[in-house]
Amino acid sequence: MLLVYTQKVTPRIIYIFKHICTNMLGIEIKFTSKIEEFVAHDGFKMSYGKQPLGNEFFIQNTDLLLEHGFEELEIKVQPWGNTVCFFPVSDHSNLPFDIFAASFYLLTRYEEYLPHVKDEAGRFPVSESLAYKESFLKTPVVDIWAYKFKEVLKEKFPEMLFNTTNFRAETIFAIEHGFVFSNKGVIRSMVGWGNDLVKLHFHRFVDRVKSWMKVKRDPYDIFDELVQLVKKHSLSTIFMFKVADFTLYDRNINYNRMPYRSNIKYVSDYAKIGLLLGHYSSQVIKTLRVEKVRLENIIHYPLENVLNASYDLGIPEHFNTLAELEFENDYSMGYPDDLGFRAGTCSSFLFYDINMEITSPLQIHPYIFNSNVGKKYSSEELKKEISKIHERVKSVGGTFRTIFKNEDFSEYYNSNRYYSLLKQIHEIE
């Protein structure tokens, strides 16, 4: 056990110390604000304050973890070995910066509470983030900091035991459109045929007719191929299905269509299932509750996983809503339109609400790559970028989590490109 002395034990200190020390490094910790107890302790101990009490392991603090709410902060990013850091402190500290405050800033998405310009879809844009501006977006700095912190602790306490974490890859398949042609009803099919003819998409017109007549399988219905790949290579995957009502924003298949329900049940036998949020369920708790119940009625067990792949994360209200509806795992922490680490980490963490100053039971599982990003890179460029980040995640024993769509693997997209990427990420020959 590591005894931590701090003049004041705040919810922020408890949250971030438990995450870095216990969840990431495997060190049980106890807090004290009593100098006598700290001095008398003959085991592992460290202090977190403005000045060391003696010759103990000492991390100098900044004020962030002692404050309430949020405000504009002046942050100066500086180099530290082969990475970067911020919130610098004096030479008295065993680390040159306040690792706990910096990690708290990134994990809680502190900057997303502050006023910012939203993108065209009403989301927090990657260009507004500190990581993008300071060029460390593609580096899991929180995990690197924790690894370096462990090495410094080892020097001070050679007998201290730590967790060892192993690299893993996990892929999420976001199923927004279970079918592109089939199971859409006569009116929608006729509108589609008309559009194909007007735009001279004769190949799609023929495929649409064949799929509607069940002469040819729908191009987006590639669930059997994906399931076989999952089974053959024991891939860690989650299939997120959309069951929203048909609206101007959500043009998915009706959740009552038996072929769609059958595919959901089939996939649930071999992989974890989750809810892909629609436009309104990302904003309205009543709609979200309805969609959750719909999917639970199809799979016949409680739904734990959720993904917001396209809409504003609405921090903190949206995550609090997910916790209220008893979702356990959220997979939305990433940028839909860029590679990188939105929260500066490749490790899962609990959500912290800065408004209420409480730790939520909702587990956040950040992703690194969304297949939307493929439009910005050539195949070779994307492979190189993926490879670089892959190695960085491996070096800290993190999780390389990605999001693909079922349509990425259809004949209407460059399916070979995405199969190749999927195999590269999961290291499949």
Side-chain angles (χ1 to χ4, degrees):
M1 186 200 73
L2 176 67
L3 181 64
V4 178
Y5 170 81
T6 181
Q7 194 169 16
K8 183 180 180 183
V9 181
T10 68
R12 294 184 178 191
I13 287 176
I14 294 172
Y15 167 77
I16 199 62
F17 270 76
K18 282 191 173 181
H19 177 69
I20 292 177
C21 295
T22 304
N23 297 344
M24 297 187 76
L25 303 183
I27 308 166
E28 291 299 321
I29 56 172
K30 180 183 176 183
F31 297 97
T32 183
S33 296
K34 298 177 181 177
I35 295 178
E36 302 81 7
E37 181 184 359
F38 184 75
V39 171
H41 184 71
D42 58 1
F44 306 130
K45 57 186 178 180
M46 69 171 283
S47 64
Y48 180 69
K50 297 300 181 186
Q51 296 292 335
L53 301 178
N55 64 347
E56 79 278 4
F57 190 92
F58 170 65
I59 300 293
Q60 189 175 53
N61 71 7
T62 54
D63 294 330
L64 183 64
L65 301 187
L66 303 174
E67 297 171 345
H68 298 279
F70 52 89
E71 61 181 1
E72 291 281 356
L73 301 173
E74 185 177 344
I75 297 178
K76 183 180 179 182
V77 176
Q78 60 188 40
W80 181 40
N82 60 351
T83 187
V84 297
C85 65
F86 52 96
F87 294 142
V89 292
S90 73
D91 293 338
H92 297 297
S93 179
N94 283 90
L95 291 179
F97 74 111
D98 186 345
I99 179 178
F100 300 104
S103 299
F104 180 87
Y105 180 88
L106 292 174
L107 293 181
T108 60
R109 304 306 303 129
Y110 191 101
E111 61 191 356
E112 297 194 36
Y113 286 81
L114 302 172
H116 56 267
V117 177
K118 294 186 180 293
D119 68 9
E120 295 174 354
R123 303 171 300 201
F124 179 85
V126 62
S127 58
E128 287 283 302
S129 71
L130 176 70
Y132 178 86
K133 293 174 182 177
E134 297 293 339
S135 302
F136 64 88
L137 179 65
K138 297 176 182 177
T139 304
V141 288
V142 173
D143 303 83
I144 293 171
W145 295 340
Y147 189 87
K148 288 175 173 279
F149 178 48
K150 180 174 75 171
E151 294 304 307
V152 177
L153 280 173
K154 274 184 178 179
E155 292 179 12
K156 181 72 173 179
F157 308 120
E159 297 177 356
M160 183 176 279
L161 299 177
F162 300 90
N163 267 351
T164 56
T165 56
N166 297 317
F167 168 82
R168 61 190 288 261
E170 183 172 55
T171 290
I172 298 163
F173 294 107
I175 317 299
E176 184 173 3
H177 302 286
F179 303 92
V180 63
F181 299 140
S182 305
N183 302 292
K184 289 193 172 182
V186 176
I187 295 177
R188 287 183 69 183
S189 296
M190 290 179 68
V191 171
W193 291 334
N195 285 335
D196 290 341
L197 290 175
V198 169
K199 296 176 182 178
L200 305 180
H201 293 163
F202 299 118
H203 178 62
R204 283 178 64 94
F205 176 83
V206 172
D207 281 350
R208 191 185 297 272
V209 173
K210 287 182 177 178
S211 297
W212 196 71
M213 297 177 66
K214 303 189 185 307
V215 175
K216 179 181 179 181
R217 189 173 61 166
D218 189 279
Y220 284 12
D221 185 8
I222 45 76
F223 299 103
D224 193 51
E225 288 89 337
L226 292 180
V227 165
Q228 293 309 314
L229 194 66
V230 169
K231 290 168 60 180
K232 181 178 180 181
H233 299 283
S234 300
L235 304 186
S236 177
T237 57
I238 306 174
F239 286 73
M240 302 286 191
F241 288 93
K242 181 180 278 193
V243 290
D245 290 326
F246 181 81
T247 68
L248 179 64
Y249 304 99
D250 298 311
R251 308 181 72 82
N252 50 292
I253 296 294
N254 188 304
Y255 68 94
N256 275 321
R257 294 279 182 179
M258 283 310 300
Y260 189 42
R261 296 170 73 94
S262 296
N263 277 340
I264 295 174
K265 290 178 181 177
Y266 167 60
V267 170
S268 69
D269 289 336
Y270 302 98
K272 291 189 286 186
I273 298 294
L275 177 65
L276 177 62
L277 297 188
H279 179 266
Y280 293 106
S281 57
S282 70
Q283 303 173 20
V284 182
I285 185 171
K286 183 178 179 181
T287 306
L288 177 54
R289 183 182 288 110
V290 167
E291 291 182 14
K292 181 175 187 283
V293 171
R294 280 178 185 169
L295 192 49
E296 287 177 335
N297 287 338
I298 295 173
I299 61 177
H300 300 302
Y301 57 81
L303 197 60
E304 299 177 354
N305 309 308
V306 64
L307 169 65
N308 180 350
S310 304
Y311 309 109
D312 183 38
L313 296 189
I315 295 173
E317 292 82 3
H318 178 58
F319 288 128
N320 289 335
T321 295
L322 296 180
E324 182 181 338
L325 294 182
E326 299 182 331
F327 283 102
E328 296 182 10
N329 304 296
D330 175 84
Y331 293 84
S332 311
M333 187 58 70
Y335 291 110
D337 51 1
D338 214 333
L339 282 163
F341 304 88
R342 185 166 181 165
T345 185
C346 53
S347 299
S348 300
F349 58 95
L350 292 174
F351 176 69
Y352 186 91
D353 181 353
I354 293 178
N355 282 343
M356 301 296 292
E357 299 293 355
I358 57 173
T359 300
S360 165
L362 183 69
Q363 193 83 9
I364 306 295
H365 305 277
Y367 71 84
I368 299 161
F369 166 77
N370 187 312
S371 63
N372 293 334
V373 176
K375 302 169 186 175
K376 298 172 61 174
Y377 296 88
S378 70
S379 293
E380 285 307 309
E381 287 173 337
L382 189 55
K383 281 188 175 183
K384 287 179 182 177
E385 290 297 315
I386 291 288
S387 180
K388 289 177 189 175
I389 301 175
H390 202 267
E391 287 305 310
R392 290 170 192 156
V393 175
K394 261 191 168 182
S395 70
V396 293
T399 299
F400 196 102
R401 190 171 287 107
T402 55
I403 296 177
F404 289 91
K405 298 183 288 292
N406 58 314
E407 56 208 68
D408 294 332
F409 304 95
S410 78
E411 63 188 80
Y412 288 113
Y413 289 79
N414 191 345
S415 58
N416 289 334
R417 180 192 197 195
Y418 289 110
Y419 272 120
S420 177
L421 269 178
L422 187 65
K423 290 178 179 179
Q424 177 187 350
I425 291 163
H426 286 270
E427 299 178 300
I428 299 170
E429 293 298 331

